[in-house]
Amino acid sequence: MNLYQELLWRGFVYQATEGAEEAVSRGKITAYVGFDPTAPSLHVGSLLPIMGLVHLQRHGHRPIAVVGGATGMIGDPSGKSKERVLLDRETLERNLQGIKSQLEKFLSFTGENPAILVNNYDWTHSLSVIDFLRDIGKHFSVGYMLAKESVKRRLEGEGISYTEFSYMLLQAYDFLHLYDHYNCILQMGGSDQWGNITAGIDLIRKVRGGKAYGIVFPLLTTASGTKFGKTEEGTVWLDPSLTSPYKFYQFWLNTDDRDVGRYLRFFTLLPKEEVEALEEELRRRPEKRLPHRRLAEEVTRMVHGEEGLQRAKRASMVLFGGSPEGVSADELEEIMSHVPSVQMTKQEVLSLSMTELATRSGLTSSKGEAKRLIAAGGLYLNNKKINNPARKVEVKDLIEGRLLILRKGKKNYLLIKAK
RNA sequence: GGGCAGGUUCCAGAGUGGCCAAAUGGGGCGGGCUGUAAACCCGCUGCCGCAAGGCUUCGGUGGUUCGAAUCCAUCCCUGCCCA
């Protein structure tokens, strides 16, 4: 099975330019994917293009990851209805570092076909306006640019600045640069990148007479129609300090039944037979949620390592398997290390009512909310439902005199450490 | 630079002098059912307060008025058209 066939059965190929399959099958090639440094970390949505690069490398091709130090300063209008707020240089630099270290977990930068990590700022920052307009701008008609989906949609909506309008030219130039310097002939990306990718292919054809190709991945969706990669807490990041391995594991475990097969193909390296066996298992014994467990394990291990996975599983077991009773404070602390926690003084804790405790600790954002929560029967202290909002915290509530476990609903735990 | 249309609570969007903390939908949160799923049902969804009630909010500022999201002035922002 070659790379293209693998990408195909896994569902990665949403759209491909003419000849892409052939080009990939002909021999070892170099291909790239771009990553946007708008946030300090990549998130689970970026996992799809990352896996694209992983497959590329596993099939012996050379992957290039481009971080958009330059394009990040401009803002890609693709898939965005609003003009972006420009990032300052320091933020951008910090984000680049974070992304870089994350990519290093997935790709091998040594060996036979080492991955390459580059920053497009390196070849873009010194480009003069005159050169840009003569060497790149000259090859694009305004009609061509206006016809791009990303531009069209914005023109119909709230408009687009010249800055973002120019974005596609910079990305096209990236492709040309990589074509020239690394013989990179394929660009992959999310389906919203189609316009930018084809712009690059056209530029390469026009100025070098070269052939280049593009493959775009499908938009990640959830069966329930919510945005993929979001939970109640917001985006699911790859950085453990932004999304704990426990939360990360839980995110995958909670995958909708209807999505789990697709996600196994996208986000794990499990072979076809295994994925299909898991799907069969889902049909036969859905309540076991075996595919969900496997998905969560595979992805968590890949992102957070074996150690992170084991901790996440242990925490999940205690939090969902039973009650914290009978578990020592030390053990609890270890298990809850991935659950949000706050420090408070013992004195403070003991002076508070339940509504105050929930609010002060950050579990609820106001006393009003805490009150409503209690009225609805959704607040638990040490896994026991709280009915009285005025109830004070008592000494006997403290596990071994120093821990409190506060819970909102079924899944939202907060550990309070009293000193 | 000129003309027109807009800027409302997380989002969309109603409201056009008091009955407005502001309809409705979405989202979110909680409860129920279950499998830590989906679907479905119920409740909640500005802040403080046990409550009565109070406080802050409708792009910014200043005004008119007993009273303003609603009227006036001015500024800022966005879209469309013209130059």
Side-chain angles (χ1 to χ4, degrees), chain A residues 2-3 42 49 63 68 74 126-127 129 135 139 152 159 161 179 183 191 202 222 225 251 271 316 324 326 343 362 407:
Chain A
N2 69 29
L3 170 68
L42 294 171
I74 302 303
S126 58
L127 189 66
V129 185
D135 299 343
H139 300 286
K152 247 198 304 194
S161 67
Y179 175 84
N183 191 29
S191 60
D202 289 335
T222 63
F251 166 76
S316 298
Q343 296 264 2
R407 174 158 65 101

Side-chain angles (χ1 to χ4, degrees), chain A residues 163-318:
Chain A
T163 306
E164 290 200 9
F165 180 59
S166 319
Y167 180 91
M168 75 176 81
L169 301 187
L170 282 182
Q171 189 165 330
Y173 180 58
D174 284 348
F175 202 171
L176 177 64
H177 175 92
L178 296 172
Y179 175 84
D180 285 343
H181 290 80
Y182 299 97
N183 191 29
C184 174
I185 59 160
L186 173 69
Q187 182 181 173
M188 302 190 291
S191 60
D192 58 346
Q193 292 301 310
W194 184 257
N196 295 332
I197 292 173
T198 51
I201 293 171
D202 289 335
L203 183 63
I204 290 170
R205 194 189 62 246
K206 282 178 185 161
V207 305
R208 301 283 184 262
K211 282 288 273 170
Y213 309 90
I215 295 175
V216 291
F217 309 136
L219 197 70
L220 279 166
T221 55
T222 63
S224 55
T226 56
K227 205 161 180 230
F228 174 82
K230 299 268 181 190
T231 65
E232 48 280 16
E233 276 85 36
T235 305
V236 180
W237 303 101
L238 303 190
D239 184 335
S241 64
L242 294 172
T243 299
S244 71
Y246 161 74
K247 285 278 177 198
F248 188 85
Y249 177 83
Q250 286 290 326
F251 166 76
W252 294 102
L253 193 64
N254 284 314
T255 299
D256 193 304
D257 286 11
R258 294 167 290 181
D259 293 322
V260 73
R262 239 169 69 245
Y263 291 180
L264 281 166
R265 288 174 172 77
F266 281 154
F267 303 114
T268 74
L269 293 170
L270 298 180
K272 199 173 181 186
E273 308 74 59
E274 215 168 332
V275 172
E276 282 166 0
L278 283 166
E279 285 181 314
E280 179 56 30
E281 188 62 33
L282 180 69
R283 268 188 295 278
R284 220 193 298 268
R285 289 184 298 171
E287 74 285 356
K288 294 282 180 218
R289 300 191 306 144
L290 237 55
H292 304 71
R293 283 177 212 286
R294 194 62 196 277
L295 173 69
E297 279 172 22
E298 293 292 325
V299 185
T300 307
R301 184 184 295 119
M302 204 152 38
V303 175
H304 297 300
E306 188 62 38
E307 168 73 15
L309 169 65
Q310 292 312 327
R311 282 161 160 263
K313 283 179 77 172
R314 263 201 308 279
S316 298
M317 218 122 68
V318 170

Side-chain angles (χ1 to χ4, degrees), chain A residues 244 246 311 314-316 318-319 324 329-341 383 403-407 412-417:
Chain A
S244 71
Y246 161 74
R311 282 161 160 263
R314 263 201 308 279
S316 298
V318 170
L319 299 179
D330 279 344
E331 228 175 316
L332 267 179
E333 229 169 344
E334 153 67 18
I335 286 164
M336 304 285 271
S337 61
H338 293 327
V339 165
S341 68
N383 274 355
L403 293 181
L404 286 175
I405 297 168
L406 212 53
R407 174 158 65 101
N412 296 294
Y413 281 88
L414 180 75
L415 184 68
I416 296 170
K417 299 177 183 172

Side-chain angles (χ1 to χ4, degrees), chain A residues 101-157:
Chain A
S101 68
Q102 282 165 358
L103 286 172
E104 280 163 0
K105 290 187 190 164
F106 294 90
L107 300 166
S108 162
F109 290 85
T110 53
E112 284 274 299
N113 51 331
I116 299 169
L117 184 70
V118 289
N119 183 345
N120 63 13
Y121 184 78
D122 295 344
W123 59 82
T124 311
H125 79 280
S126 58
L127 189 66
S128 77
V129 185
I130 301 297
D131 289 342
F132 171 75
L133 292 175
R134 288 180 62 99
D135 299 343
I136 305 164
K138 198 67 181 167
H139 300 286
F140 292 91
S141 76
V142 170
Y144 173 91
M145 293 173 72
L146 288 174
K148 296 286 182 192
E149 193 57 38
S150 57
V151 175
K152 247 198 304 194
R153 263 227 301 282
R154 282 285 290 277
L155 286 174
E156 285 159 13

Side-chain angles (χ1 to χ4, degrees), chain A residues 41-68:
Chain A
S41 165
L42 294 171
H43 48 89
V44 288
S46 329
L47 231 34
L48 196 63
I50 292 175
M51 291 310 286
L53 287 178
V54 170
H55 288 302
L56 200 77
Q57 187 162 46
R58 284 165 62 90
H59 282 272
H61 303 286
R62 180 167 64 162
I64 301 180
V66 174
V67 288

